[in-house]
Amino acid sequence: MIKKYTFGNPFFTGAVVEDIKADNAVVPYFTVNTQNGISFEYIMHDKDIVYGLGEATRGINKRGYVYDSYCSDDFCHMETTKSLYGAHNFILIEGKECFGAFFDYPTRLTFDIGFTKSDTLSVSAEKADIDLYIVEGNSPLEIVKEFRQLIGKSYIPPRWAMGYMQSRWSYYTSDAVREVANKYRDADIPLDAIFLDIDYMEEYKDFTISKERFGDLPELIDEMKQKGIRLVPIIDAGVKIQDGYDIYEEGLEKGYYCVDKEGKPFSAGVWPGLTHFPDFLNEEAGLWFGLKYKALTDLGIEGFWNDMNEPAIFYSEKGIENFYEKLSEITSGDKSVDNYNKIKDIVNSLQNSQDDYNSIYHNVNGKLVKHNDIHNMYGYKMTECTAKALEKLRPEERTLLFSRASYIGMHRSAGIWTGDNFSWWSHILLELKQLPALNMCGFLYVGADLGGFGCNASRDLVLRWLGLGIFTPLLRNHAALCTRDQECYQFENTEDFKNIIELRYRLLPYLYSEFLKCATEDKMFFKPLGFEYKDDEIARATEDQLFVGDELMIAPVYTQNAIGRYVYLPEEMCAVRLKKGGELKFITMEKGHHFVEVPLNEVVFFIRKDKCIPLANPALSTDAMDFDTLELIGYKNAEYKLYTDDGISTDLSKIEIKNLEN
Amino acid sequence: MIKKYTFGNPFFTGAVVEDIKADNAVVPYFTVNTQNGISFEYIMHDKDIVYGLGEATRGINKRGYVYDSYCSDDFCHMETTKSLYGAHNFILIEGKECFGAFFDYPTRLTFDIGFTKSDTLSVSAEKADIDLYIVEGNSPLEIVKEFRQLIGKSYIPPRWAMGYMQSRWSYYTSDAVREVANKYRDADIPLDAIFLDIDYMEEYKDFTISKERFGDLPELIDEMKQKGIRLVPIIDAGVKIQDGYDIYEEGLEKGYYCVDKEGKPFSAGVWPGLTHFPDFLNEEAGLWFGLKYKALTDLGIEGFWNDMNEPAIFYSEKGIENFYEKLSEITSGDKSVDNYNKIKDIVNSLQNSQDDYNSIYHNVNGKLVKHNDIHNMYGYKMTECTAKALEKLRPEERTLLFSRASYIGMHRSAGIWTGDNFSWWSHILLELKQLPALNMCGFLYVGADLGGFGCNASRDLVLRWLGLGIFTPLLRNHAALCTRDQECYQFENTEDFKNIIELRYRLLPYLYSEFLKCATEDKMFFKPLGFEYKDDEIARATEDQLFVGDELMIAPVYTQNAIGRYVYLPEEMCAVRLKKGGELKFITMEKGHHFVEVPLNEVVFFIRKDKCIPLANPALSTDAMDFDTLELIGYKNAEYKLYTDDGISTDLSKIEIKNLEN
């Protein structure tokens, strides 16, 4: 059961698709205080777990920290980081009481979950304009399902987007892309997509293509497609200010950009230099921008990633002006250390500054709305506009689409990757912990930059990360400028990579089937153990294992130099071990604690009792795979309900359900 | 057996105390290349473990990363940080072959331990002037013992310095210190020392005391001592440049400061503003500085911590000059973003800049030596000078002394704390991993800033950190400016803190005895499991448990919201559980894997088979403890060899050894 409680005049975010009438009764569970802005307080019991918050730092259990829900470009995020790229305000309390709460509020919202006071959960916002949804049910899974129904069906990508994908900032030329494809093919490692980061464009101008470096893009697209490899270009939020650049000029003429207080287009510096931000909260402007993707879909492009849409701001035009003004004030004084420190402060305060977010305005149905009041909706609305336009541009086929910034509601339009991360072992575990939380909030097509975006990756890091990555719907290896090359073929003994990535392809019938099931039935693809074993204290406290679909449990290795790891089995399961060369070994393991050895070139996962899963033969790309010839592994006499379709059609009525018996 | 191999003309560091003649034979194990500087390459076998490197990031097993041995002030250190505050060039390879290697080289030395190529260990330096010591023995423990004999006996602190200590940047006034003492006493929590951070000084001038805020320091020292609490002031490396400041003037007159290329005292900005660095490589200058501690020992001060001695440099006078010069060049151009970026670059390049380290010179026996060539010796020599002077100032009693920067050799003079860290759960585990590595390099009196220096700590973090901290010789809770107060009494239910800290005091007879044993017999206080169980693959791979002395094993909880953790027992042990209220429960646990529940207010540790340990009754300070009335816990009929003395005397012949029987 879901009840809605409305305070003040909330901004309509569109996160929720069901029209629920606000309840006039007193809000249950929470003590509400509207003295200063608004705050909701809940006293947690000793053993309560607080789940949720989607893309946030810390644990599956969010207790013990303070989170700021505010889309932020923070590529060096640590365990004390409070905000990441997405803002996902759903929490689920499970323990003495069990309920969900969604705070539909499109800007900064603070969740102090037992940090300041161990037993106190406090959710607070600056303005008392908020819709609160309380979701009740008999179990966490039931509550999530209800919540997911409230927010609408999740995005389904084309099946090829569940293949292995390679990215880098940047493959600078068509030939660099060819080289990646060839080297993967030479190493016999499956690959379904190569990503084009910002350098495929002409001066980072959206919807342009560098003539010099990608002059033959149409041919390249065809050539790659013949190898079963799609190209996926990036689209950034900001439109470069440049006379003669048609899109810039058109947007300007039509008044489609975000403006400043005076109504002049707001100018922010990002990769292309100064840009204007399309006003995605203005539906007309959004659709206009979305239809520009046609320049690329016309060439045969079938997927996109939307980036920099928090929006990230390196500096604003105003910010630079103010900077020089203050600088000249300071330098008119003495050449002292004090003044040096002042300069240091101002020079470092320009990026993603609150001043800028407070100076941008949107045109929402003719009314000016301050950006900061709806900050968390920008990337969401950009991506929603993209999705709507792509439905027009490619009505028959699903398009791959994911975004960096997001808010609940965007899950209907696209997936997300968890943004710029680091080649840190701790970021493997962070990804694992984020996955179920993202699922709760509707985001099913999710994954992290495998191998880590920033910093240098080592061979073992990439291999171990694959041990988790091969189970994530979005499986993309991506690395930043100036970091070590981390394509699988860059390391010794590529057959180890081939073997593990081939396992991903063998698992695809299962993973894709579970994905379809979860998307069409509002289920979770990744589940914390406690969601299925509510009364098992060990399962509830397990922070490094997940259920993948209804049949599998994973327990990846995420520490360096480990020879294995502890695994908790809340019930008997069948352990499946991928050996060198691709052989699968099966062993039944009893309920309880186990130390499982996992050499660097092996992967171990678990089939739940009395379940089985379908495997296919691997191929070098999903296009080349035979999804009809399946082998079942797992428990004898078990059945599996296979969800399948052609992998590409937007017509979901084509999904077939087949009963398979082992 | 130890062999020495000399390349070029190594700078004499004094790290080694035994005079070994260089061997002319070919270096064993390593392939040496002297083409570009010097590099030593060793091909690692699959199961080899590389131990060592003292205060470094990452694992007990250092494989899989690149480390730069270069004393660095990096308070936000992450898993990809390459340099920390100390530089400890000893590694121990254990596996197919087993040997130790000490690279006596006082500036940047790079250890690529299987990062670039999984099987290749490469140690490289810019200049081929290096002494390499190869240490062979039958086991890791034997090798460590030999190495420790080579580098000389470790520092032993007074026993009170193994009590619980509280610090903060800063307790600004005498009354603030009194408040800390009173609140600890009110909460009945033992406390042996309160630290005075930089604000006790007048304008951060070494050996001065703020009249306004600490005018009654002599009385405060006495008052605290009566409560069993010592005050421990900080001493920073830089001497403030200020006319009329006697120490500054004296140092200038006598030519005791580091100089620039022209021979003028080098001016670097640190907390006091511009300072000169005493030239600790000049023996006379070092002793002069060391004897200045008299200003504080005369007041009854019995302990010090030396800080900022990498040396950390916020900016240099020259750096600021260059900055303003470049700034004026840039600002004479246009007010463009390009120029803003240039300003950003130069404004952020001043701190700990390589240019500055290359511009400082030392007077070593009349010869000018570039600082960067001996960078890692600065904090070491500062602290050695301090220790030598303190031997003169307080010849009868041991003085507490520890330092931030260090090099092997300094372990004879003082302990170290592991520098500024963060209130991160991962920094609990990092500390655990550093402890045995530090012991290998001679540093026995060690510990991290408990609760974390930077960022805000939560109650559970401090409690769990105590679960490790109560076993570390140096046990100090310390926090930075602008962070949340984290003294134990700041949190709810202080009896939980009291209970765990009292356990530390109960364990003191054992911990102190083991410390004396390790210091006098060149043993390790903290040992990785693999050091005792060389043929046990699980023990060898265990990265989150340690032996503490010869009798105990610890397995602290270091993840948030955990209800317990996995523990591996390489043999049967007796698990000791501290319950609420102080009761100890004992249970024998068999060899193998266990999930051990550990509620937040409990601590579990393990007594090894057929061993026992002595416990004392706790008191509010070590002064108030009765170290003669001991109780033995553990296995029946076991014996314990107790090392004991008066806890303070510099005369080590007073150490008594008693056989205790359970």
Side-chain angles (χ1 to χ4, degrees):
Chain A
M1 203 188 54
I2 301 181
K3 284 198 173 168
K4 175 181 178 180
Y5 303 88
T6 295
F7 299 86
N9 294 298
F11 188 88
F12 177 74
T13 67
V16 160
V17 294
E18 282 181 24
D19 195 12
I20 297 181
K21 227 186 119 186
D23 202 302
N24 290 322
V26 173
V27 174
Y29 305 109
F30 292 100
T31 307
V32 185
N33 187 319
T34 50
Q35 290 290 87
N36 253 316
I38 194 160
S39 76
F40 302 85
E41 209 174 275
Y42 177 73
I43 302 301
M44 297 179 287
H45 300 88
D46 251 18
K47 294 194 169 175
D48 285 0
I49 292 179
V50 180
Y51 294 100
L53 294 187
E55 190 186 65
T57 53
R58 317 282 284 205
I60 289 177
N61 183 352
K62 309 313 281 187
R63 282 186 79 151
Y65 201 56
V66 183
Y67 310 85
D68 261 355
S69 188
Y70 193 81
C71 296
S72 299
D73 171 21
D74 181 357
F75 96 122
C76 177
H77 47 274
M78 303 164 287
E79 64 182 80
T80 39
T81 293
K82 293 181 170 183
S83 307
L84 289 176
Y85 309 89
H88 308 135
N89 305 337
F90 176 69
I91 53 173
L92 192 157
I93 288 121
E94 192 273 318
K96 195 162 180 201
E97 301 178 302
C98 184
F99 64 96
F102 173 50
F103 301 84
D104 194 4
Y105 182 77
T107 188
R108 191 183 304 276
L109 188 65
T110 301
F111 293 81
D112 182 338
I113 309 186
F115 180 76
T116 302
K117 207 161 167 290
S118 302
D119 68 353
T120 306
L121 162 63
S122 166
V123 183
S124 56
E126 214 178 84
K127 294 190 179 173
D129 297 312
I130 195 164
D131 279 325
L132 166 64
Y133 296 85
I134 298 286
V135 190
E136 288 175 323
N138 288 319
S139 70
L141 287 173
E142 199 179 301
I143 289 168
V144 168
K145 195 175 184 116
E146 280 188 75
F147 176 60
R148 295 269 299 280
Q149 283 164 351
L150 176 72
I151 59 173
K153 291 277 176 278
S154 299
Y155 163 79
I156 303 174
R159 188 172 53 201
W160 64 262
M162 288 178 73
Y164 175 74
M165 312 194 287
Q166 183 63 55
S167 186
R168 178 161 189 96
W169 176 27
S170 277
Y171 300 123
Y172 284 97
T173 62
S174 295
D175 282 345
V177 171
R178 284 185 184 94
E179 190 187 324
V180 174
N182 290 338
K183 290 200 164 166
Y184 267 100
R185 289 294 176 257
D186 289 348
D188 238 2
I189 301 173
L191 181 72
D192 259 87
I194 297 173
F195 280 65
L196 302 179
D197 210 318
I198 52 175
D199 298 286
Y200 78 90
M201 294 181 267
E202 196 74 56
E203 297 177 86
Y204 309 126
K205 287 184 287 190
D206 281 336
F207 314 112
T208 69
I209 294 155
S210 163
K211 278 202 191 97
E212 193 192 332
R213 286 170 293 107
F214 284 89
D216 61 346
L217 185 63
E219 295 78 30
L220 182 71
I221 292 168
D222 289 346
E223 209 181 306
M224 289 296 120
K225 183 107 188 234
Q226 277 164 33
K227 289 178 191 269
I229 296 170
R230 266 82 171 179
L231 297 187
V232 183
I234 197 169
I235 303 291
D236 280 353
V239 171
K240 185 175 176 69
I241 299 175
Q242 189 180 63
D243 288 338
Y245 169 32
D246 54 349
I247 290 171
Y248 157 70
E249 289 182 340
E250 196 182 333
L252 198 64
E253 194 189 317
K254 295 194 167 157
Y256 283 161
Y257 298 123
C258 296
V259 294
D260 63 16
K261 216 171 182 174
E262 286 77 42
K264 282 185 292 187
F266 186 88
S267 301
V270 212
W271 298 119
L274 281 177
T275 66
H276 291 326
F277 291 133
D279 186 356
F280 296 111
L281 277 90
N282 169 349
E283 223 168 288
E284 194 182 308
L287 188 63
W288 162 77
F289 188 86
L291 289 172
K292 297 297 174 197
Y293 286 68
K294 187 169 188 296
L296 293 153
T297 54
D298 279 354
L299 302 180
I301 292 292
E302 300 169 42
F304 299 92
W305 48 314
N306 285 346
D307 196 8
M308 302 295 284
N309 51 4
E310 290 73 23
I313 298 178
F314 298 161
Y315 53 82
S316 66
E317 192 173 26
K318 197 90 199 157
I320 290 281
E321 273 172 39
N322 287 343
F323 165 75
Y324 278 110
E325 219 166 89
K326 283 190 209 156
L327 182 68
S328 112
E329 257 172 54
I330 297 170
T331 48
S332 72
D334 57 10
K335 293 179 174 181
S336 66
V337 172
D338 270 4
N339 283 334
Y340 156 74
N341 283 328
K342 280 183 199 159
I343 295 169
K344 195 170 175 179
D345 283 347
I346 60 165
V347 85
N348 288 321
S349 67
L350 261 62
Q351 195 156 354
N352 301 326
S353 98
Q354 204 59 54
D355 279 356
D356 284 335
Y357 291 138
N358 274 315
S359 308
I360 304 174
Y361 289 81
H362 298 271
N363 171 356
V364 181
N365 304 321
K367 212 181 127 195
L368 277 194
V369 173
K370 192 194 277 189
H371 171 79
N372 196 51
D373 290 343
I374 56 87
H375 173 76
N376 292 340
M377 290 178 65
Y378 190 75
Y380 155 30
K381 286 293 163 184
M382 173 191 185
T383 303
E384 191 178 69
C385 294
T386 307
K388 281 184 181 163
L390 288 169
E391 275 170 36
K392 293 182 201 297
L393 297 172
R394 307 185 70 245
E396 306 296 326
E397 294 193 349
R398 305 200 293 265
T399 305
L400 168 60
L401 182 61
F402 59 89
S403 168
R404 194 169 72 181
S406 60
Y407 184 79
I408 290 175
M410 200 198 83
H411 68 284
R412 299 185 298 264
S413 306
I416 57 174
W417 93 103
T418 52
D420 301 345
N421 60 1
F422 271 7
S423 296
W424 286 350
W425 291 82
S426 58
H427 276 183
I428 303 179
L429 186 58
L430 176 62
E431 177 182 11
L432 182 145
K433 291 173 175 181
Q434 289 174 332
L435 293 167
L438 287 165
N439 281 188
M440 288 176 216
C441 300
F443 294 95
L444 294 182
Y445 186 70
V446 288
D449 281 348
L450 191 138
F453 180 67
C455 300
N456 295 320
S458 56
R459 179 178 189 271
D460 57 346
L461 178 87
V462 176
L463 274 173
R464 290 301 196 192
W465 209 320
L466 277 170
L468 168 63
I470 56 165
F471 297 98
T472 59
L474 194 175
L475 168 58
R476 182 180 71 146
N477 180 330
H478 185 40
L481 200 68
C482 301
T483 64
R484 183 180 185 186
D485 290 328
Q486 67 189 41
E487 295 84 8
C488 297
Y489 54 77
Q490 306 283 1
F491 301 105
E492 308 103 87
N493 300 332
T494 54
E495 60 273 24
D496 288 342
F497 294 88
K498 165 185 155 69
N499 200 30
I500 295 176
I501 293 172
E502 278 189 352
L503 176 60
R504 159 63 164 225
Y505 281 74
R506 293 160 82 178
L507 286 165
L508 265 182
Y510 173 71
L511 298 174
Y512 184 66
S513 166
E514 290 301 299
F515 193 100
L516 290 180
K517 204 176 285 180
C518 293
T520 54
E521 294 169 15
D522 303 308
K523 293 174 69 176
M524 290 171 74
F525 187 84
F526 295 107
K527 281 172 285 193
L529 269 53
F531 272 39
E532 300 251 359
Y533 296 87
K534 272 207 323 171
D535 302 320
D536 180 333
E537 290 303 316
I538 308 286
R540 290 177 80 238
T542 299
E543 290 264 337
D544 58 0
Q545 300 175 203
L546 293 175
F547 289 121
V548 177
D550 284 331
E551 277 73 13
L552 294 192
M553 187 181 78
I554 58 168
V557 174
Y558 53 86
T559 53
Q560 194 164 30
N561 298 316
I563 60 170
R565 54 158 291 174
Y566 288 101
V567 178
Y568 177 64
L569 266 54
E571 61 178 344
E572 179 201 293
M573 295 191 192
C574 169
V576 185
R577 176 180 298 271
L578 172 75
K579 303 285 291 180
K580 200 174 168 167
E583 190 196 353
L584 295 178
K585 291 247 185 189
F586 303 88
I587 181 172
T588 303
M589 289 173 73
E590 62 189 15
K591 170 179 159 63
H593 304 288
H594 300 269
F595 183 84
V596 179
E597 296 199 13
V598 190
L600 196 52
N601 55 6
E602 296 191 1
V603 169
V604 177
F605 60 95
F606 304 86
I607 300 178
R608 295 175 66 182
K609 191 163 191 310
D610 298 329
K611 309 258 187 189
C612 65
I613 63 163
L615 292 187
N617 288 319
L620 285 175
S621 71
T622 52
D623 282 356
M625 274 179 73
D626 171 3
F627 283 97
D628 292 322
T629 310
L630 302 177
E631 171 199 6
L632 289 169
I633 60 168
Y635 282 84
K636 286 290 155 209
N637 303 318
E639 287 184 16
Y640 180 71
K641 204 181 265 190
L642 183 80
Y643 283 50
T644 183
D645 70 354
D646 61 3
I648 194 80
S649 173
T650 48
D651 180 0
L652 297 184
S653 73
K654 288 189 182 168
I655 294 175
E656 281 179 87
I657 302 176
K658 293 180 191 168
N659 274 312
L660 308 179
E661 270 181 56
N662 194 20
Chain B
M1 203 188 55
I2 301 181
K3 284 198 174 169
K4 176 179 177 181
Y5 304 88
T6 295
F7 299 86
N9 294 298
F11 188 87
F12 177 73
T13 67
V16 160
V17 294
E18 282 181 25
D19 195 13
I20 298 182
K21 227 186 120 185
D23 201 302
N24 290 321
V26 172
V27 174
Y29 304 110
F30 293 100
T31 308
V32 185
N33 187 318
T34 50
Q35 288 292 85
N36 254 315
I38 194 161
S39 76
F40 301 86
E41 211 175 274
Y42 177 73
I43 301 302
M44 297 179 287
H45 301 89
D46 251 18
K47 294 194 170 176
D48 284 359
I49 292 180
V50 180
Y51 294 100
L53 293 187
E55 189 186 65
T57 52
R58 317 282 284 205
I60 290 177
N61 185 351
K62 310 312 283 186
R63 281 186 81 150
Y65 200 56
V66 183
Y67 310 84
D68 262 355
S69 188
Y70 193 81
C71 296
S72 299
D73 171 21
D74 183 356
F75 97 122
C76 176
H77 47 272
M78 304 164 286
E79 64 182 80
T80 39
T81 294
K82 293 182 171 183
S83 307
L84 289 176
Y85 309 88
H88 307 136
N89 304 338
F90 176 69
I91 53 173
L92 192 157
I93 288 122
E94 192 275 317
K96 195 162 179 200
E97 300 177 302
C98 186
F99 64 96
F102 173 51
F103 301 84
D104 195 4
Y105 181 76
T107 188
R108 191 183 305 275
L109 188 66
T110 300
F111 293 81
D112 182 337
I113 309 186
F115 180 77
T116 302
K117 206 161 169 289
S118 300
D119 68 353
T120 306
L121 162 63
S122 165
V123 183
S124 57
E126 216 177 83
K127 295 191 180 173
D129 297 313
I130 194 164
D131 279 322
L132 166 62
Y133 296 84
I134 297 286
V135 190
E136 289 177 323
N138 288 318
S139 70
L141 287 174
E142 198 179 301
I143 290 167
V144 168
K145 195 175 182 113
E146 281 187 75
F147 176 60
R148 294 268 300 280
Q149 284 165 349
L150 178 71
I151 59 173
K153 292 276 175 279
S154 299
Y155 163 79
I156 304 174
R159 188 172 54 202
W160 63 262
M162 288 179 73
Y164 176 74
M165 314 194 286
Q166 182 64 55
S167 185
R168 178 162 189 94
W169 175 27
S170 279
Y171 300 123
Y172 283 97
T173 62
S174 293
D175 282 345
V177 172
R178 285 186 182 95
E179 191 187 322
V180 174
N182 290 338
K183 289 198 164 167
Y184 267 100
R185 289 294 175 256
D186 289 349
D188 238 2
I189 300 174
L191 182 71
D192 259 86
I194 297 174
F195 280 65
L196 302 180
D197 210 317
I198 52 174
D199 298 285
Y200 80 88
M201 293 180 267
E202 196 73 57
E203 296 177 86
Y204 310 127
K205 287 185 287 188
D206 281 337
F207 314 112
T208 69
I209 295 154
S210 163
K211 278 203 192 95
E212 192 190 333
R213 287 172 291 107
F214 284 89
D216 61 347
L217 185 63
E219 294 79 32
L220 182 70
I221 291 168
D222 289 344
E223 208 181 306
M224 289 295 120
K225 182 110 188 234
Q226 276 163 34
K227 287 178 192 268
I229 296 171
R230 266 83 170 178
L231 298 187
V232 184
I234 197 170
I235 303 292
D236 280 355
V239 172
K240 185 176 176 70
I241 298 175
Q242 190 181 62
D243 287 337
Y245 170 32
D246 53 350
I247 291 171
Y248 156 70
E249 290 182 340
E250 196 183 332
L252 198 64
E253 194 189 316
K254 295 192 168 160
Y256 283 161
Y257 297 123
C258 296
V259 294
D260 62 17
K261 217 171 180 174
E262 286 79 40
K264 282 184 293 186
F266 187 87
S267 301
V270 212
W271 298 119
L274 282 178
T275 65
H276 292 326
F277 291 133
D279 186 355
F280 296 111
L281 277 90
N282 169 348
E283 225 168 284
E284 192 183 309
L287 187 64
W288 162 77
F289 187 86
L291 289 172
K292 297 298 175 196
Y293 286 67
K294 188 169 187 296
L296 293 153
T297 54
D298 279 353
L299 301 179
I301 291 292
E302 300 169 42
F304 298 92
W305 46 314
N306 285 345
D307 197 8
M308 303 294 284
N309 50 6
E310 292 74 23
I313 298 178
F314 298 162
Y315 52 84
S316 65
E317 192 173 25
K318 196 91 199 158
I320 290 280
E321 272 173 41
N322 287 343
F323 165 76
Y324 278 111
E325 217 166 90
K326 283 190 209 155
L327 182 69
S328 111
E329 257 172 54
I330 297 169
T331 49
S332 72
D334 57 9
K335 294 179 175 183
S336 66
V337 172
D338 271 3
N339 283 334
Y340 155 74
N341 284 328
K342 280 183 200 159
I343 295 169
K344 197 171 173 177
D345 284 346
I346 59 164
V347 84
N348 289 321
S349 67
L350 262 60
Q351 195 157 355
N352 300 328
S353 98
Q354 205 60 53
D355 279 355
D356 284 336
Y357 290 138
N358 273 317
S359 308
I360 304 175
Y361 289 81
H362 297 271
N363 171 355
V364 181
N365 304 321
K367 212 180 128 195
L368 277 193
V369 172
K370 192 193 278 189
H371 172 79
N372 196 52
D373 291 342
I374 56 86
H375 174 75
N376 291 340
M377 290 178 66
Y378 189 73
Y380 155 29
K381 287 293 164 183
M382 174 191 184
T383 302
E384 191 178 68
C385 295
T386 307
K388 280 185 182 164
L390 288 169
E391 274 170 39
K392 292 182 202 295
L393 297 171
R394 308 185 70 246
E396 306 295 326
E397 295 194 347
R398 305 199 294 265
T399 305
L400 168 61
L401 181 63
F402 59 88
S403 167
R404 195 169 73 182
S406 60
Y407 184 77
I408 291 177
M410 201 198 82
H411 68 283
R412 298 185 299 263
S413 307
I416 56 174
W417 94 103
T418 52
D420 301 345
N421 60 0
F422 270 8
S423 296
W424 286 351
W425 291 82
S426 58
H427 276 184
I428 303 179
L429 186 58
L430 176 61
E431 178 183 10
L432 183 146
K433 291 173 174 181
Q434 290 174 332
L435 292 168
L438 287 165
N439 281 189
M440 288 175 218
C441 300
F443 294 95
L444 294 181
Y445 186 70
V446 287
D449 280 346
L450 191 139
F453 179 68
C455 299
N456 295 320
S458 56
R459 180 179 188 271
D460 56 347
L461 177 87
V462 177
L463 275 172
R464 290 301 196 192
W465 209 319
L466 277 170
L468 169 62
I470 57 165
F471 296 98
T472 59
L474 194 175
L475 167 57
R476 182 180 73 148
N477 179 331
H478 185 40
L481 201 68
C482 300
T483 63
R484 183 181 186 186
D485 291 328
Q486 67 189 40
E487 296 83 9
C488 297
Y489 56 76
Q490 305 283 0
F491 301 105
E492 310 102 87
N493 302 331
T494 54
E495 60 274 23
D496 289 341
F497 295 88
K498 166 186 155 69
N499 201 29
I500 295 176
I501 293 173
E502 277 188 352
L503 175 60
R504 159 63 164 227
Y505 281 75
R506 293 161 81 179
L507 286 165
L508 265 183
Y510 174 71
L511 298 173
Y512 184 65
S513 166
E514 290 302 299
F515 193 100
L516 290 181
K517 204 177 288 182
C518 294
T520 54
E521 295 169 14
D522 301 308
K523 295 174 68 176
M524 290 171 73
F525 188 85
F526 294 107
K527 281 172 285 191
L529 269 53
F531 272 40
E532 300 250 359
Y533 297 88
K534 272 204 328 170
D535 301 321
D536 179 333
E537 289 304 316
I538 308 286
R540 290 178 81 239
T542 299
E543 290 264 337
D544 59 0
Q545 301 175 203
L546 294 176
F547 289 120
V548 178
D550 284 331
E551 278 71 15
L552 294 192
M553 188 183 78
I554 57 167
V557 174
Y558 53 85
T559 55
Q560 193 164 33
N561 297 316
I563 59 169
R565 55 158 289 175
Y566 288 101
V567 178
Y568 176 63
L569 267 52
E571 61 179 344
E572 179 201 294
M573 293 191 195
C574 169
V576 185
R577 178 180 297 271
L578 172 75
K579 303 285 293 181
K580 199 175 169 166
E583 191 196 352
L584 295 178
K585 292 247 186 191
F586 303 88
I587 182 173
T588 303
M589 289 174 73
E590 63 190 14
K591 171 179 158 62
H593 303 289
H594 300 268
F595 183 84
V596 178
E597 295 200 13
V598 190
L600 197 51
N601 54 7
E602 296 190 2
V603 170
V604 178
F605 60 95
F606 304 86
I607 299 177
R608 295 175 66 183
K609 191 163 190 307
D610 298 328
K611 308 256 188 190
C612 65
I613 63 162
L615 290 189
N617 287 320
L620 286 175
S621 71
T622 51
D623 283 354
M625 275 180 74
D626 171 4
F627 282 97
D628 293 320
T629 310
L630 303 176
E631 171 199 4
L632 288 169
I633 59 167
Y635 282 84
K636 287 289 155 209
N637 304 319
E639 288 183 16
Y640 180 71
K641 205 181 264 189
L642 182 80
Y643 283 51
T644 183
D645 70 354
D646 61 3
I648 195 80
S649 174
T650 48
D651 180 1
L652 297 184
S653 72
K654 287 189 183 169
I655 294 175
E656 282 179 87
I657 302 175
K658 293 180 193 170
N659 274 313
L660 307 178
E661 271 182 54
N662 194 19

